Amino acid sequence: MTVRHRDVEVNGVRLHIAEQGEGPLVLLLHGFPESWYSWRHQFAPLAGAGYRVVAPDQRGYARSDRPEPVDAYTLLHLVGDVTALIGALGESSAVLVGHDWGAPVAWATALLRPDLVRGVAGLSVPPAPPAMLPPLSLARDRYGEGFYQIGFQEPGVADAEFARDPASTLRRILFNASGDNPRVEEPRPWVVPEGMTLLDGMPEPDALPGWLTEEDVAAFAEDYRGSDAFTGPLNWYRNIDRNNELLTAFQGRVVEVPALYVVGDRDMVVSLKGVDFLRANLHLVAPRVHANVTLAGCGHWTQQERPEEVNAALLDFLAHVEEVVPA
C-alpha cells in the first residue's frame, strides 16, 4: 500500500488529503507549523491494522486553499471542514486524531458532533471546552505581552519573519520545541523578550535529532513556499478570542465519545498554567477516557518524536473503539 494524494472540496474550500488503507475511517489532523507530512509514521501501521487513514492539509495550510479573510479560520469553520470531509469521503463517521492545533479541532468536533465521531485522540493539547484555548486576556495576565500567541496577533509580522527562510524557520521551531533541545532543562512557555522575535530565541541546531532529517525539513519547507504561506496558519491564532465568543453557548458540554490523550513530559504545553489541572481532571471533561499517556523525554512533536509509542497507543485505542480485521 502507498500513500495516495488528491484534493477534496469541503465547506467552501479545497483540501489536499493524503490517504492509505481501507476500513473504518481515521482522520489525522496536524498542527502548527506542519502539514499532512507530520503523520508520515502513522500511515502504514494504521492502514496495515485495517483502517482507512486520511490526513488533510487543514484550511490555510500547505497545498490546501488559503482563504484571505482572517475570520474564515474560526474553530467552527475548522470543525465544519472535518464534518464535511467525513461526508465527502463517503463515510458516516470517523475516529479523529489531532496534534497541537489539530487537537482542539478534534476535541471540538467530538464535542459538537458526537454523532459523527466514534472516538477522539488528542496529542499534546488536552480538551478545554468549549473553545479549547483560553482568551488572550487571560494569556496576557499569565505570561505578559511577550507570549507567542499574543505576538502572532499582529497581521503580517510573524508571517514575514517565518516566510523569509521557511527551511530555517521550520528547522528552528521543530528542534527547539522537541525533547532533544539541550538548552531547555524543563519545558516552559514561549515568552519572547521585548525587542526580540520568536525565532531570535530559537537558534539553528548544530545537528538534527534522530527523528528529524534534512529531507523531512525540506518536505515541510516545500509546503511553506511563498510570502503568504504562514498567514493562513497564523490566522488560526488570530481567532482565539472570536472562538471564545462563538462557542460560549456550549459551555458545560463534555466530550461524550471514547477518548485518548498523549503528551510528552518535555512538551512546552505541559508548562502552561492550567494544563496540569486539565490533565488531572481529564475524566471530568471526557468521561469515557480510555488512557491518559505521558511519554518520558518527549517534546511537543509527539507522533514524530515517538512514533512507535504513539502508534501503539493509537492502535490500542482504536481496538477499544471498534473491532477490525487487519489488512
Side-chain angles (χ1 to χ4, degrees):
M1 293 184 291
T2 59
V3 177
R4 305 178 301 277
H5 295 262
R6 61 187 175 102
D7 292 339
V8 180
E9 295 284 340
V10 300
N11 198 22
V13 299
R14 177 191 53 79
L15 296 184
H16 162 259
I17 66 169
E19 58 184 329
Q20 183 175 358
E22 301 293 337
L25 178 62
V26 179
L27 285 182
L28 307 178
L29 306 174
H30 67 79
F32 176 89
E34 300 172 277
S35 69
W36 74 270
Y37 187 78
S38 66
W39 301 103
R40 60 195 177 279
H41 301 302
Q42 280 66 54
F43 280 94
L46 270 58
Y51 299 97
R52 182 185 182 188
V53 185
V54 176
D57 287 333
Q58 296 203 75
R59 173 184 294 238
Y61 278 85
R63 309 179 206 178
S64 292
D65 278 350
R66 304 170 184 176
E68 186 173 346
V70 174
D71 61 4
Y73 295 87
T74 72
L75 193 54
L76 290 179
H77 285 92
L78 305 174
V79 169
D81 290 347
V82 174
T83 60
L85 180 57
I86 293 171
L89 293 171
E91 305 284 355
S92 60
S93 64
V95 173
L96 307 183
V97 183
H99 168 255
D100 183 79
W101 253 112
V105 176
W107 294 122
T109 305
L111 182 82
L112 300 178
R113 294 301 306 270
D115 56 314
L116 298 179
V117 180
R118 299 190 304 277
V120 58
L123 310 184
S124 178
V125 181
M132 303 304 163
L133 292 177
L136 295 176
S137 59
L138 186 57
R140 281 190 175 92
D141 290 343
R142 289 173 170 175
Y143 313 111
E145 288 293 329
F147 188 54
Y148 77 104
Q149 292 180 5
I150 295 171
F152 285 173
Q153 300 304 308
E154 187 66 29
V157 177
D159 319 43
E161 179 192 14
F162 293 165
R164 276 195 290 270
D165 186 342
S168 177
T169 294
L170 292 159
R171 194 182 298 111
R172 291 173 184 230
I173 293 176
L174 290 169
F175 173 75
N176 282 277
S178 77
D180 300 279
N181 181 3
R183 297 176 63 249
V184 179
E185 294 183 1
E186 59 183 42
R188 59 176 182 262
W190 286 356
V191 178
V192 181
E194 186 175 358
M196 296 180 65
T197 69
L198 183 66
L199 293 185
D200 287 338
M202 294 184 170
E204 285 269 11
D206 294 329
L208 293 178
W211 61 269
L212 183 67
T213 68
E214 284 295 345
E215 289 75 17
D216 295 330
V217 174
F220 282 122
E222 177 65 22
D223 285 332
Y224 282 91
R225 292 191 301 168
S227 60
D228 67 338
F230 287 91
T231 299
L234 288 166
N235 282 341
W236 289 38
Y237 291 93
R238 293 163 185 157
N239 279 281
I240 289 175
D241 282 346
R242 188 174 286 109
N243 292 337
N244 278 275
E245 296 171 3
L246 292 172
L247 290 160
T248 299
F250 300 98
Q251 188 69 46
R253 291 200 59 160
V254 299
V255 176
E256 301 171 357
V257 302
L260 168 69
Y261 178 60
V262 182
V263 68
D265 65 1
R266 288 178 59 81
D267 189 334
M268 178 272 288
V269 169
V270 304
S271 71
L272 300 180
K273 293 181 179 179
V275 169
D276 55 348
F277 177 84
L278 292 173
R279 294 171 67 194
N281 292 279
L282 183 61
H283 61 287
L284 300 179
V285 175
R288 297 177 65 187
V289 61
H290 173 66
N292 186 345
V293 180
T294 301
L295 302 177
C298 181
H300 183 63
W301 315 108
T302 327
Q303 76 274 22
Q304 297 187 72
E305 293 186 49
R306 297 296 178 81
E308 292 184 1
E309 291 161 277
V310 169
N311 292 344
L314 290 177
L315 289 170
D316 174 70
F317 176 61
L318 290 168
H320 168 72
V321 172
E322 54 202 344
E323 294 184 5
V324 300
V325 178

